[in-house]
Structure formats: structure tokens, C-alpha cells
Amino acid sequence: SKWSDRGWRVLALAVGTVDVSGQEIEAQFSDADEAVFDRLSGLYEQRLTLVGLIALVDPPRFGIVEAVADCHRAGIDVIMITGDHPATAAAIAKQVGIRASVVLKGREVDILGEDGLRDMQSLQFPCVFARVSPQNKLTIVKALQARRKITAMTGDGVNDAAAIKRADVGLAMGLAGTDLAKQAADIVLADDNFGTILVAVREGRRVYDNVQKFVVYLLACNSAEIWCVLMALLFGLPPPLASIHILFANIIADIPPSMSLSMEPEEVDLMTRRPRDGSDRLLNKWNILYVVVYGLLIALLSLSYYAFAILRGNHVDIVLLRSESFICLTVLQLVLALLSRSLYHS
């Protein structure tokens, strides 16, 4: 018990003669039911002599503690699913920073089932599962998905393949993983390092942020051109932009800034935000408000001098006024590109 509490795996060695045929032993040991294994062990312990105990130390890998802490800061829940003894699993979980106040055994998962796990309170849902079977792993993944969690499953063995396949993102170990686990996975970790998952999450969030930035920027610029022409027509003014101006603005003035936004580095708070909901759209209500407000503001500023000059008096040079309105529009779009480097901060 003391060794298990330290996170060590304990094996008992015994010698003796058992009068059971090899076929019967094979049949009973192939049964996944732990209760059958317990009965078989009880049959043997009367006829075996204990030789000693062996403790196997399998310490957490370097960097795993920091990686788990980074996951928690990023709003990612880390759950341990293992076949080890519950005491060993709890000890390892505490070492790496995973909440281990409740450890659920595979036998208890069978009793609760998918519905029981789904209906558990968030604070009561265990972060450590021990003595689990392949079916238990699959049940846990299904229960998490039923709780509307985006689930990533990591593993390296044949027993993990079904759960890896079922998860929203399946991750297999490239070095120690079996071929079946790799085939079932969406992503294969070439270095078998848990911290690599955080690198992928960081890059995914950065790419998603940048896609939002250049989509919002392009929509705001295009809407500014539409508002500018539309408001001029509503007030009975000549069009402030010629066709060549709009083409130049779309191809020359908008595309290079939007391409630069797609290459923006990550923002400071990128890995401290809560994960977005899977049902969230690329353009939420705040992004749409951003597009409307900045589009209208650019259109009003570009159109104001143009309208004032036309309404002021005679001898109006429309070509010159259009050029001035176009210059104002493109300069404001470049200013908007600087403002669009972040949709969350000034």
C-alpha cells in the first residue's frame, strides 16, 4: 500500500504447483471481468508460496507537470485513464497536477454507464479512472461528448484504438504507438511528448485568431466602399468612386494588409482564454458590430469632404473630388489594418 501510494507498480512473485490445465488457465485469464480474475487468484493463493514483491518505478516524463499546468491555464481539463491500481493512479495524478480527489474504477464505470457519467455534476466528475477496460475508455469518451465537451483522446495501444477513433480529436504516439492506434488517430505525435499537444493547441488558436482578423478586416473595408457609394446615391450625389477605384481598393489596398494579418504572431493572452464553444461561428455578434461600425465610419469620413465640396458651390471638379475621396478611403483602410491586429485589445 505504501509503495502504491508513492506511484509505484507492485508485482507479487510466488512459486508453487497448480493442478489446472493450460486451456482452463488461458480461458479464465482471457476473461476481462476482474471478478473472474479475483476468483482465480483465490484458487491459487492456497497452493502458492510468496517469494517477494517487486516495485516498478515509472516516473512522469520531463515537462509533463508544466504541460498539465499550461492545459489548466488554457481551460483544458486533463483526465487520466489507466489500467493501474487506483492508489498508483492517484499518486501519479497528484505528482503531475491532476485532481485526484475521486478515482473511479472500471467496474464502477460499468455500473454507472454512459448516462450516469453524463449526468454527474461538473465538480463530481472524476479526473482519474483506474483499472479500466477498452470498453470503459470508449464509454468515458462518449460521456464527455454527451456533456458537450470537445474531447481529445491520446493513447498508444490496441486497447486505445476504439476511444481514439470515437474522440473528436484522436492522438496516437508515433514512437511507441501500435499501427492500429496510429490508423485510428487524426494526429500522430512524432516525439510521443504530451507537451507537443500544447504546441498544436497554441498554433491552432493563433491560426483561428488570424483568420478572424483578416475576414473581419476585408468585410469592414468592402462594406465601407458599399456604404460610401450607397449613401451618395441616397443623397442624390454623383458616385464618389469610379469602377477603377473600387478595383484598386479591393485588389491593391485590401489584399496585402489582409495577408499580413494572417501572419500575425500570437497575442499575449492566447493561452489563458477559455476554449471556444464548438458551435461558435467564425463571425460572432461582436465581430459583425466591428464590421458595421468601422465600415460606416470609414464611409462617412471618405464621403464627408466629397459631399461638402459638391454642396458648397459651383465649378466642382468631380474627377479631383473622387481622387481625394479615394485617397481618404485607402488611407483609412490602412489605418484599420493596424487596428485589426487584435480584435480583443486596443
Side-chain angles (χ1 to χ4, degrees), residues 54-235:
I54 294 180
L56 303 178
V57 181
D58 186 11
R61 294 188 179 185
F62 176 77
I64 188 67
V65 177
E66 293 78 7
V68 171
D70 289 340
C71 283
H72 290 159
R73 280 193 290 270
I76 302 171
D77 297 326
V78 182
I79 295 176
M80 176 191 290
I81 306 176
T82 177
D84 288 338
H85 189 276
T88 304
I92 294 294
K94 291 177 182 178
Q95 291 178 22
V96 301
I98 299 176
R99 177 171 56 86
S101 55
V102 177
V103 179
L104 209 63
K105 298 180 182 179
R107 196 183 304 175
E108 296 168 332
V109 173
D110 290 330
I111 295 172
L112 287 172
E114 181 182 336
D115 294 337
L117 290 174
R118 180 196 62 199
D119 297 334
M120 292 180 71
Q121 298 293 330
S122 297
L123 294 177
Q124 296 176 345
F125 196 90
C127 290
V128 179
F129 294 85
R131 291 292 193 218
V132 294
S133 65
Q135 183 59 40
N136 293 149
K137 297 178 181 180
L138 184 59
T139 300
I140 295 168
V141 170
K142 288 181 178 180
L144 288 169
Q145 291 174 328
R147 295 167 68 91
R148 299 187 62 187
K149 302 289 185 181
I150 304 299
T151 306
M153 176 70 186
T154 66
D156 56 9
V158 175
N159 294 338
D160 303 316
I164 290 174
K165 184 68 175 178
R166 173 71 189 197
D168 298 291
V169 181
L171 300 114
M173 303 301 170
L175 298 177
T178 61
D179 291 338
L180 184 60
K182 295 177 185 178
Q183 292 173 6
D186 302 297
I187 300 173
V188 177
L189 302 180
D191 57 0
D192 285 12
N193 189 350
F194 184 83
T196 305
I197 300 175
L198 265 296
V199 177
V201 171
R202 184 187 301 272
E203 185 64 15
R205 290 189 178 189
R206 186 188 72 85
V207 169
Y208 185 86
D209 263 11
N210 290 347
V211 169
Q212 267 193 331
K213 291 173 186 177
F214 76 70
V215 168
V216 169
Y217 169 75
L218 286 176
L219 289 177
C221 290
N222 290 330
S223 66
E225 298 161 17
I226 295 173
W227 285 119
C228 192
V229 175
L230 184 61
M231 286 190 292
L233 294 176
L234 290 176
F235 288 104

Side-chain angles (χ1 to χ4, degrees), residues 277-293:
D277 193 281
S279 60
D280 286 352
R281 298 180 179 181
L282 184 65
L283 291 178
N284 54 41
K285 60 181 180 181
W286 299 111
N287 292 338
I288 295 174
L289 181 63
Y290 184 102
V291 169
V292 173
V293 170

Side-chain angles (χ1 to χ4, degrees), residues 214-229 241-259 298 326 329-331 333-334 336:
F214 76 70
V215 168
V216 169
Y217 169 75
L218 286 176
L219 289 177
C221 290
N222 290 330
S223 66
E225 298 161 17
I226 295 173
W227 285 119
C228 192
V229 175
L241 298 172
S243 300
I244 190 65
H245 293 148
I246 295 177
L247 287 174
F248 190 95
N250 285 333
I251 299 174
I252 306 300
D254 292 350
I255 299 301
S258 66
M259 293 177 64
I298 293 175
F326 169 71
L329 177 76
T330 53
V331 169
Q333 287 181 345
L334 292 176
L336 181 62

